[in-house]
């Protein structure tokens, strides 16, 4: 980026310098031309005012201009265009001058002017002609360098100046780029520093966005680390138990009638492990699905009823009454995920309930929008814990969750599924009274 800005700045500077040099050359050249013409007209008028040519007789061989003008050619032309005198060539050898525009104009209007390129490519000849009182024309001419020649002659100096300016520009642009980018570099270095304010007002939104993305990345990394640590810990507990029980059995350290308990413990812990692994796989699948969940047109009430049999059995085992009611409501969703959602919510309502408790699962059609309500009159959740129960592995009562086979991941999965369906999750709970969880699609 630095070298790009640098080279662009230098490029702009070089263009500007070359354009300026060209413009200055052209302006000076036109001033120079103007000056040459002015000088020429003065010379012509001065010569006219001397009345030297009017008084000269027709024998022009007598004419001797006291000074030999190297730079000034003087011609005297008769009314018919014949050259009577020329200080540069013998007049007789010269052709009739009536066809020269400046001579022609002088006869017509009193004065005439023109510029012609000389044979020597690099020079232009400037002519100025005046009509004398006796009807003849006096013409003066001088040669001056053409624009090309002027440019060529100043080129070495100009090139040197341009090179020096370019060198200065390169150094300055290097400095400027460094200065310009330093705040951005500082900003990148200060991503972790929440007190750091962007040096330019225009950079503030960019800096804010970078910082919040940086924080997101950091917190995602931390969440992943925590999750891995938690998973290892959660897996270790049942495995340690299984291994311990198996060892006791293997070493014949358990009396015949006590063995059944250990077999049961091994089975329970294995089931816990399986449930955990299932939930972890589910969660990681949901993580991968973000943004590309396969959705289909389905009826939410129908989907809920598909889970009812298994839930009823579960509730029966815990002496909890579960009922399903509602109305058909169409929505777009992922059937398997929605079933997982219903099962997790209803499972919790059964698990964290009292003997003889009640659970109702309701599906509503509110203005064409589907709504799922899972209500129980169980133990409830204290207000202080309500925010945290959707975190992975968070449990209000660890021993109860573990005793009932909970993994601490159920509500994290629920939250994920709700997000993938762009739905809203509401929790209303009071300890001792029960819990109502509403999902509005
Ligand atoms: P778990 O596998 O432990 O049930 P969840 O993520 O499903 O994990 O729930 C997290 C915690 O939230 C549970 O351990 C429990 O303490 C609390 N909880 C969830 N649902 C309910 C409910 N319906 N009533 C009371 N507490 C609940």
């Amino acid at each position: 980026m630095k070298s790009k800005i640098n080279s662009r700045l230098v490029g702009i500077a070089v263009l500007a310098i070359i354009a300026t040099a060209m413009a200055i050359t052209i302006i000076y050249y036109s001033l120079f031309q103007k000056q040459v013409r002015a000088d020429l007209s003065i010379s012509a008028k001065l010569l006219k005012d001397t009345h030297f040519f009017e008084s000269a007789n027709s024998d022009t061989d007598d004419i001797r201009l006291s000074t030999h003008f190297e730079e000034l050619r003087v011609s005297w032309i008769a009314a018919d265009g014949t050259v009577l005198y020329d200080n540069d060539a013998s007049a007789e050898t010269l052709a009739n001058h009536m066809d020269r525009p400046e001579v022609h104009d002088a006869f017509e209007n009193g004065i005439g002017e023109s510029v012609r390129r000389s044979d020597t490519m690099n020079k232009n000849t400037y002519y100025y002609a005046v009509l004398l009182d006796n009807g003849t024309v006096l013409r003066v001419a001088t040669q001056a360098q053409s624009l090309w020649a002027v440019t060529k002659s100043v080129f070495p100096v100009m090139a040197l100046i341009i090179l020096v300016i370019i060198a200065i520009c390169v150094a300055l642009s290097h400095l400027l780029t460094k200065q310009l980018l330093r705040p951005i570099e500082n900003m990148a270095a200060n991503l972790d520093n929440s007190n750091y304010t962007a040096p330019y007002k225009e950079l503030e939104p960019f800096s804010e966005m970078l910082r919040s993305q940086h924080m997101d990345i950091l917190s995602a990394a931390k969440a992943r680390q925590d999750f891995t640590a938690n998973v290892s810990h959660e897996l270790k507990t049942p495995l340690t138990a299984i291994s311990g029980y198996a060892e006791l059995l293997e070493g014949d350290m358990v009396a015949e009638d006590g063995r059944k308990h250990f077999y049961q413990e091994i089975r329970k812990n294995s089931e816990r492990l399986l449930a955990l692994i299932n939930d972890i796989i589910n969660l990681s699948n949901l993580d991968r699905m973000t943004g590309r969940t396969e959705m289909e047109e389905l009826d939410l009430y129908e989907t809920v009823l598909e889970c009812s049999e298994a839930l009823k059995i579960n509730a029966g085992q815990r002496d909890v009454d579960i009922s399903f009611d509602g109305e058909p409501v169409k929505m777009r969703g992922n059937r398997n995920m929605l079933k997982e959602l219903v099962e997790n919510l209803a499972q919790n309502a059964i698990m964290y309930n009292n003997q003889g408790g009640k659970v109702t699962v309701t599906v509503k059609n509110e203005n064409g929008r589907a709504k799922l309500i899972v209500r129980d009159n169980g133990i409830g959740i204290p207000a202080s814990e309500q925010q945290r129960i959707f975190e992975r592995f968070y449990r209000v009562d660890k021993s109860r969750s573990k005793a009932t086979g909970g993994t601490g991941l159920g509500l994290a999965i629920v939250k994920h599924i709700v997000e993938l369906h762009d739905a809203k999750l509401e929790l209303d709970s009071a300890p001792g009274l029960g819990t109502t969880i509403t999902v509005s699609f």
Side-chain angles (χ1 to χ4, degrees):
M1 181 175 170
K2 247 184 198 167
S3 64
K4 212 171 184 178
I5 297 181
N6 228 329
S7 58
R8 298 251 161 113
L9 279 178
V10 172
I12 292 171
V14 170
L15 272 181
I17 294 164
I18 292 174
T20 313
M22 277 165 68
I24 288 178
T25 311
I26 291 170
I27 291 168
Y28 272 99
Y29 184 70
S30 75
L31 284 177
F32 161 75
Q33 264 187 324
K34 226 171 159 179
Q35 192 60 48
V36 169
R37 282 150 99 172
D39 288 351
L40 212 56
S41 78
I42 290 169
S43 303
K45 281 170 191 157
L46 273 175
L47 272 174
K48 178 185 172 181
D49 287 348
T50 60
H51 298 290
F52 175 76
F53 286 93
E54 279 149 336
S55 56
N57 54 39
S58 51
D59 186 3
T60 52
D61 288 346
D62 289 348
I63 298 176
R64 289 275 178 277
L65 292 173
S66 56
T67 321
H68 183 67
F69 306 103
E70 269 278 311
E71 300 86 8
L72 200 68
R73 182 176 164 197
V74 181
S75 319
W76 184 29
I77 298 133
D80 61 355
T82 359
V83 181
L84 298 171
Y85 170 78
D86 191 300
N87 72 339
D88 201 33
S90 175
E92 299 91 75
T93 61
L94 294 168
N96 188 298
H97 267 30
M98 201 47 119
D99 60 340
R100 310 289 153 98
E102 70 282 0
V103 175
H104 185 81
D105 284 357
F107 278 121
E108 293 251 302
N109 312 316
I111 53 165
E113 235 186 316
S114 74
V115 183
R116 283 196 286 279
R117 181 174 288 175
S118 301
D119 309 333
T120 45
M121 267 284 285
N122 289 343
K123 295 219 164 161
N124 285 337
T125 309
Y126 293 77
Y127 298 94
Y128 192 90
V130 273
L131 184 65
L132 302 181
D133 296 340
N134 66 354
T136 57
V137 158
L138 178 70
R139 185 187 75 171
V140 286
T142 190
Q143 283 196 327
Q145 284 189 316
S146 67
L147 178 59
W148 170 238
V150 171
T151 312
K152 233 167 75 178
S153 65
V154 297
F155 185 75
V157 184
M158 195 85 101
L160 190 72
I161 295 173
I162 289 177
L163 280 179
V164 170
I165 298 178
I166 288 175
I168 295 172
C169 282
V170 169
L172 281 180
S173 82
H174 193 74
L175 260 174
L176 201 75
T177 317
K178 233 171 147 175
Q179 246 176 21
L180 217 84
L181 293 184
R182 193 174 302 131
I184 298 178
E185 286 167 350
N186 278 347
M187 201 173 78
N190 277 287
L191 275 181
D192 287 327
N193 180 359
S194 55
N195 293 325
Y196 181 80
T197 44
Y200 305 135
K201 200 163 61 48
E202 294 81 353
L203 275 183
E204 262 164 35
F206 179 56
S207 150
E208 269 313 302
M209 192 187 75
L210 269 187
R211 189 171 303 142
S212 85
Q213 275 183 359
H214 181 67
M215 293 300 169
D216 285 352
I217 291 170
L218 285 184
S219 68
K222 169 135 191 358
R224 253 199 313 276
Q225 270 174 359
D226 288 352
F227 183 65
T228 316
N230 278 330
V231 165
S232 320
H233 179 77
E234 295 281 337
L235 292 176
K236 204 175 155 191
T237 320
L239 268 176
T240 314
I242 292 170
S243 156
Y245 296 137
E247 205 179 324
L248 288 177
L249 291 169
E250 192 185 33
D252 277 334
M253 283 163 38
V254 190
E256 189 81 41
D257 53 345
R259 284 190 190 164
K260 191 161 184 208
H261 167 71
F262 286 89
Y263 293 136
Q264 276 174 347
E265 281 303 317
I266 289 177
R267 187 186 47 78
K268 262 197 220 158
N269 278 291
S270 313
E271 275 168 7
R272 232 168 86 69
L273 266 182
L274 275 177
L276 249 169
I277 291 166
N278 257 332
D279 278 356
I280 293 168
I281 292 173
N282 265 339
L283 258 181
S284 89
N285 280 344
L286 288 172
D287 276 339
R288 272 191 298 125
M289 293 276 217
T290 310
R292 49 191 175 93
T293 321
E294 274 177 35
M295 299 286 192
E296 57 178 313
E297 199 69 34
L298 50 81
D299 186 294
L300 183 62
Y301 190 47
E302 220 171 72
T303 313
V304 167
L305 290 181
E306 284 172 28
C307 318
S308 64
E309 283 316 309
L311 286 169
K312 272 180 189 158
I313 295 170
N314 225 302
Q317 285 168 350
R318 290 179 187 270
D319 198 15
V320 171
D321 179 59
I322 185 163
S323 62
F324 297 84
D325 74 305
E327 49 192 332
V329 49
K330 291 259 179 281
M331 61 168 282
R332 277 192 75 73
N334 181 295
R335 187 179 297 272
N336 287 335
M337 284 189 199
L338 289 174
K339 277 164 83 173
E340 177 89 31
L341 173 104
V342 175
E343 276 163 11
N344 276 331
L345 289 177
Q347 207 63 269
N348 279 349
I350 297 166
M351 270 195 319
Y352 303 103
N353 216 320
N354 307 307
Q355 238 188 351
K358 244 189 99 56
V359 174
T360 51
V361 182
T362 315
V363 173
K364 275 191 178 167
N365 181 345
E366 270 190 5
N367 307 321
R369 294 196 160 270
K371 200 173 216 180
L372 171 76
I373 305 159
V374 180
R375 173 176 293 138
D376 67 68
N377 58 354
I379 62 170
I381 305 157
S384 57
E385 309 275 351
Q386 291 182 5
Q387 272 295 311
R388 301 204 58 189
I389 55 165
F390 295 96
E391 288 172 19
R392 295 173 181 194
F393 296 115
Y394 191 82
R395 300 155 168 123
V396 177
D397 178 349
K398 273 201 169 53
S399 51
R400 177 161 186 154
S401 163
K402 285 189 178 163
T404 48
T407 60
L409 292 175
L411 287 183
I413 294 175
V414 165
K415 191 177 154 207
H416 226 317
I417 295 175
V418 167
E419 278 166 7
L420 287 176
H421 282 81
D422 270 336
K424 208 175 85 192
L425 189 68
E426 275 168 289
L427 168 74
D428 180 18
S429 180
L433 291 176
T435 304
T436 304
I437 292 184
T438 312
V439 183
S440 314
F441 293 94

